[in-house]
Structure formats: C-alpha cells, structure tokens
Amino acid sequence: MNKVELVLGQTILVELEEECLLGELVHIGSDRSFMRLANVRDMVTKKNYGVQTYYNSEIRNIQVMVATEQKPLDSSSAENVVKSKQLSLDYLDETLAQITDHVFIHQADIKYHDSIRFLKKQRHLGIAMECIEHGRHSKSPSLLSIAAFDSIFIFDIKWMEITADMRSLLTDNRYRRVLCNGRVVRDALQYKFGITLGKCFDVMIAHVAISKAEGKAVGSAISLQSCVQHYLNLPDKFFDMNIDFSLRPLNDDTKREAAKNVVFLLPLQDLFIHEIMLEPYYTSSNRYSHSLACNRDFINSLTDLRNGCEAIEAVEPMTLGINMESLNVSQQEETSK
C-alpha cells in the first residue's frame, strides 16, 4: 500500500486473499495502515458492498484504475521491452459485463440457432476449449467457447456434438480465429472430432516471440491466464485455477470461468498486432504523413508537395516488431502436424 501513490477519488482495484474488489478511494489512514472505499464491487460476483474498510495486513495488491486512457505501467525507456497495459475502468466494466452475459448452450435449440446465426456474421472469433490439456489424450473435452468482440457463447460439447455449423466456424478461413496454444487445440479437434482447425492467430506464440526478443527465458508451460495477467496486468486472483470443467451439472462459477478464458483473446490479438508487431509500420506511416505537414511555410510546402517521390523513397522496408524466426519451428514439424 505504501508503494502505490493513492489520491482520494481514485478508482482502485484491491486484491485480498480470496477477493478482487473495485471501489472509489474516500479515505486513507494517517499512517497508511488502512483505506476506506465507497461503491465497492466484487470483480467476480459483481456483488455490491457499499462502503468498506481494508487494512494493510489483508491487502495483497493494489492497482489504480484509469478511466480515460491506458498508460504504460513501466516507465523504463529501454529498447525491445514490451510494456504491460493497464486496463481502463471502462474496458474492465465492458469485459465483466460480457463475462456475466455469456450465452450457455447445451442443445441444438432456438438459442443455439440464434447464436450460430450471429457468429456466422462475425469476422473475428476467439476460440477456447476446456479439458483438452493433453490434446488427443485428453479424457473428455468439456466446453467450446467462442467469443466475438461483444458476446461470448459457451457450447457444452460433452453433452452435445460439435455440429456442422460449429465445424464451419472452426475450419473456414473466412473467419479470423484467435486462440492460445493451438498445438493442443488442433490435436484435440483433429483426433477427437475429426476436425482440421483452420488458420488461427496464437497469442501464446506471439508471447513466446516477444519474450525471446526481450532476451527472456521461456518456460515449456505458458497459460492463457499468465499471458493475460502479463500484458493486461490483471490481478492474480482474477482467474480461479481450481475450477473443474469436467463436472456436471455446470454451475454459474464454472461457466463464468470459461467465459474468462475466451474474453481476452481478441483484445490480446489487437495488442500484439497493432501495438507490437506493426509498431514499426505505424511509425513509418506517421513519419510519412508528417513529411508534408511539418513544413509550416506555405510557399515551401508547395515544393514539398511536388516532391512526393522523395517522401516515398524515405519509407523504410517493412519489418515486424518481433522476430518470428526466433521461434525456430522447422518445416518438418509444421507439415507433420
């Protein structure tokens, strides 16, 4: 608590031993041993607790939420370091609403057909599966979750088959799919359901490439939860790692946890592509667009306007913001999958 700069009126995220709470800071103890929050809300259950007091001894972590813009948490100017992004309060509220408002489907009824009709109109889809940690060797895949930018659909594939419509969403390359650890997802789909997964953006691979570019060691087990917590700076207790997705009937906590595992895939892809991979391209585009406007002299700008070729020649070759070759995936490995 003493390491965080707190100001009355801030909206802060407080992580306790078993809870993550959001509230407005209304009082700080003179010795900074406690704080009082108003409009306290549990991030997971969304229950409101009004005004609450929390003591330093019970607080594990504090984050100041930003309502208008996302700011880097790391002020270091070192090169080749990807900074985490702090979730804005508006975005966090939208995400919590999506998680709560997920659509759960366990049979091919009207709700199923409405959901499929909606998903087929989308271009970008987040894909997550539960109980497939061992690929084809997994005992019984449990859930298939598909997320659009503003909606989440959870299909109980333990009770219903993967239908032809769902297969199309997984295989047709007109969709831009995003997942985490496509190696086990593809293996499970191919050998458990006879489905060949179509082209996907794997956020785990992006994380590995970024980590290698930073010179960091990469472990053999990289979870979606660790990626989300690293890049979007969520608290440790946001995900419940003790949920058993194989149990039936599914309770609300289990469904909500499945929604959490898919809701961040599209935002992570957007972060990786537009703020990391294409950062050199955006820099080059900005430099080109500024090449004429930077000349404030009206007459001289006419000369610059006619010399557009020079501005084009100044454009540097296109490179990604990360070195994908560092992944070192051989052609033999790729074709054998």
Side-chain angles (χ1 to χ4, degrees), residues 65-316:
M65 305 307 295
V66 184
T68 56
E69 61 179 347
Q70 295 183 356
K71 298 181 179 179
L73 296 179
D74 185 357
S75 59
S76 171
S77 59
E79 295 182 357
N80 297 326
V81 174
V82 178
K83 301 177 178 62
S84 299
K85 302 295 177 181
Q86 191 168 20
L87 282 177
S88 72
L89 182 57
D90 289 341
Y91 177 78
L92 185 60
D93 282 338
E94 292 174 4
T95 301
L96 291 173
Q98 289 181 48
I99 292 171
T100 301
D101 297 337
H102 68 265
V103 179
F104 177 72
I105 301 163
H106 66 280
Q107 59 185 0
D109 54 10
I110 294 178
K111 182 167 62 173
Y112 161 82
H113 290 291
D114 288 343
S115 300
I116 291 295
R117 191 177 301 111
F118 173 84
L119 287 170
K120 284 187 172 182
K121 294 178 181 178
Q122 307 306 306
R123 178 72 169 171
H124 299 85
L125 301 173
I127 305 292
M129 297 182 71
E130 308 300 342
C131 297
I132 60 157
E133 293 80 5
H134 305 293
R136 76 187 79 176
H137 305 288
S138 302
K139 183 177 180 181
S140 180
S142 177
L143 300 173
L144 169 64
S145 302
I146 304 179
F149 281 112
D150 58 357
S151 304
I152 299 172
F153 302 88
I154 302 173
F155 298 89
D156 190 341
I157 57 175
K158 194 170 185 177
W159 280 8
M160 65 181 296
E161 63 179 7
I162 295 183
T163 65
D165 292 320
M166 294 157 65
R167 286 171 180 260
S168 175
L169 296 173
L170 295 169
T171 60
D172 196 323
N173 281 334
R174 64 178 172 173
Y175 301 109
R176 297 290 183 257
R177 286 170 291 267
V178 185
L179 46 64
C180 182
N181 197 352
R183 188 167 181 256
V184 294
V185 174
R186 179 167 182 165
D187 193 67
L189 286 174
Q190 183 169 330
Y191 291 98
K192 285 284 189 180
F193 301 97
I195 298 173
T196 301
L197 183 65
K199 183 168 60 177
C200 296
F201 182 99
D202 195 325
V203 297
M204 190 192 78
I205 294 302
H207 169 66
V208 170
I210 291 167
S211 298
K212 288 187 175 183
E214 295 176 357
K216 296 179 180 178
V218 180
S220 58
I222 304 169
S223 67
L224 169 67
Q225 292 81 4
S226 63
C227 283
V228 172
Q229 288 168 344
H230 178 77
Y231 293 101
L232 300 182
N233 200 44
L234 287 174
D236 293 337
K237 290 294 182 179
F238 184 82
F239 294 99
D240 185 350
M241 305 305 293
N242 297 317
I243 290 290
D244 188 347
F245 292 101
S246 66
L247 298 179
R248 292 297 185 277
L250 295 170
N251 58 36
D252 290 340
D253 288 340
T254 303
K255 297 173 187 175
R256 188 161 47 240
E257 206 63 30
K260 291 181 188 178
N261 289 342
V262 73
V263 71
F264 293 108
L265 289 172
L266 292 176
L268 269 179
Q269 182 201 38
D270 185 79
L271 171 70
F272 285 138
I273 291 179
H274 295 288
E275 297 196 37
I276 300 174
M277 294 180 176
L278 293 182
E279 194 277 334
Y281 170 77
Y282 283 119
T283 299
S284 181
S285 295
N286 184 63
R287 187 181 298 116
Y288 173 77
S289 65
H290 189 60
S291 62
L292 180 60
C294 66
N295 192 337
R296 296 179 178 275
D297 187 278
F298 182 80
I299 301 300
N300 290 341
S301 66
L302 288 174
T303 303
D304 287 347
L305 183 62
R306 297 189 182 99
N307 292 334
C309 291
E310 294 182 4
I312 292 294
E313 291 174 358
V315 175
E316 298 178 354

